[in-house]
Amino acid sequence: MYEEPWAWPHPTRHTLGALLMEAGNHAEAVYRADLGLDGKLPRPCQHRRNVWALHGLHECLLRRGETLERPHVELLLQQATARADIPIEASCLCRHRAA
């Protein structure tokens, strides 16, 4: 059924990733999909440079000790948080803060 605006404008992947992280599970694939880094989602469903997904991906990279990609993601995250009007402490507002 067509609806405008969308019934759920907030991507549910942010919430899924945050819940997976709180449960101690690996959520990197969720954030990569949201950012369009894995090519699995069609372009309208990708949220490139999204501050929430960048925060989640950065936290995942930190957790697994990744050093090659992390500086690039950290730079993108810094650019995105510079434009944010609220402090970004986790990958979803439903999650209080990063672990």
Side-chain angles (χ1 to χ4, degrees):
M1 179 184 257
Y2 180 80
E3 251 180 53
E4 194 171 320
W6 298 339
W8 191 291
H10 187 274
T12 56
R13 286 179 294 278
H14 300 157
T15 306
L16 173 61
L19 293 173
L20 287 171
M21 296 283 277
E22 280 188 356
N25 294 324
H26 195 66
E28 189 172 330
V30 174
Y31 298 119
R32 286 187 182 283
D34 193 59
L35 292 164
L37 298 177
D38 63 0
K40 293 182 181 179
L41 294 173
R43 178 61 188 107
C45 297
Q46 298 172 10
H47 302 93
R48 300 182 184 273
R49 296 186 178 232
N50 180 284
V51 67
W52 305 102
L54 285 168
H55 189 287
L57 180 58
H58 183 258
E59 186 177 347
C60 288
L61 296 175
L62 279 172
R63 283 185 177 192
R64 70 176 173 93
E66 200 285 330
T67 57
L68 187 62
E69 184 183 15
R70 192 174 68 209
H72 177 68
V73 172
E74 188 170 356
L75 178 62
L76 293 174
L77 177 60
Q78 288 171 357
Q79 292 170 353
T81 55
R83 296 186 310 266
D85 56 354
I86 61 170
I88 307 300
E89 299 174 351
S91 60
C92 182
L93 283 177
C94 63
R95 189 171 174 219
H96 298 292
R97 59 181 164 68

